[in-house]
Amino acid sequence: MKRKILLCMFVGLASIFTAQAAVNSDDDIKSRIAPVGKVHIAGAKAETASAGGPRSGADVYTKSCVACHSSGVLGAPKFQDAADWAPRLEKGFDTVWQHAINGFNAMPPRGTCGDCSDDEIKAAIEHMIEGL
Ligand code: HEC
């Protein structure tokens, strides 16, 4: 009888530990697949990870967009290339901006800048179309 009780306790404990392990590994996976730019500086606002306020369009472009938009990877409209941007801007700036925020075909949401605010994305687009 005593053995059975012990066995029950053991099985009970074992399932608690297994559940715990499953929770931990979910968290582990989440932290492993989190976007690289997602690390926040303590005390900084979640929206603008840098302590110095919103980043400039040029900063965001150089950090997050240049990889695809400088050479036109996967058909990305190239940096300050009027012929590439004109047909896109015909949709209206707000549409293009929303596409950059939410993703659009091969264009990843926020251009992979997970901690960029909507306005920082806007500034990066304005930088890419500046002077066109
Ligand atoms: C992994 C490559 C990649 C990165 C990084 C990337 N883009 Fe793009 N982007 C694309 C591609 C590809 C398209 C064209 C999508 C299409 O038209 O099918 C695109 C299109 C766009 C468009 C036009 C959307 C439209 O409605 O026509 C904007 C605006 C844009 N990107 C902004 C950005 C900004 C801002 C960043 C950086 C914060 C960025 N992209 C980073 C690949 C990228």
Side-chain angles (χ1 to χ4, degrees):
M1 190 61 187
K2 219 174 173 188
R3 262 204 186 148
K4 264 196 181 154
I5 291 170
L6 274 177
L7 186 68
C8 284
M9 282 175 66
F10 176 75
V11 171
L13 277 177
S15 57
I16 288 169
F17 282 128
T18 336
Q20 196 66 37
V23 169
N24 282 343
S25 62
D26 269 2
D27 282 350
D28 285 353
I29 291 166
K30 269 188 204 139
S31 68
R32 261 183 272 129
I33 62 172
V36 178
K38 202 100 192 180
V39 177
H40 293 298
I41 298 157
K45 276 206 318 192
E47 253 192 80
T48 54
S50 68
R55 286 157 288 195
S56 73
D59 283 353
V60 174
Y61 171 78
T62 310
K63 185 179 152 264
S64 307
C65 324
V66 71
C68 297
H69 284 272
S70 66
S71 56
V73 173
L74 302 166
K78 290 189 286 299
F79 183 72
Q80 294 182 0
D81 183 316
D84 279 4
W85 282 100
R88 296 183 181 272
L89 294 171
E90 273 170 20
K91 297 181 274 190
F93 184 86
D94 283 355
T95 305
V96 168
W97 182 21
Q98 285 306 311
H99 283 166
I101 291 168
N102 300 317
F104 182 59
N105 301 325
M107 164 69 198
R110 290 179 196 279
T112 69
C113 181
D115 64 358
C116 275
S117 68
D118 292 357
D119 283 340
E120 284 171 328
I121 295 294
K122 184 182 188 181
I125 302 169
E126 284 168 349
H127 179 64
M128 284 200 270
I129 62 174
E130 209 177 305
L132 296 186

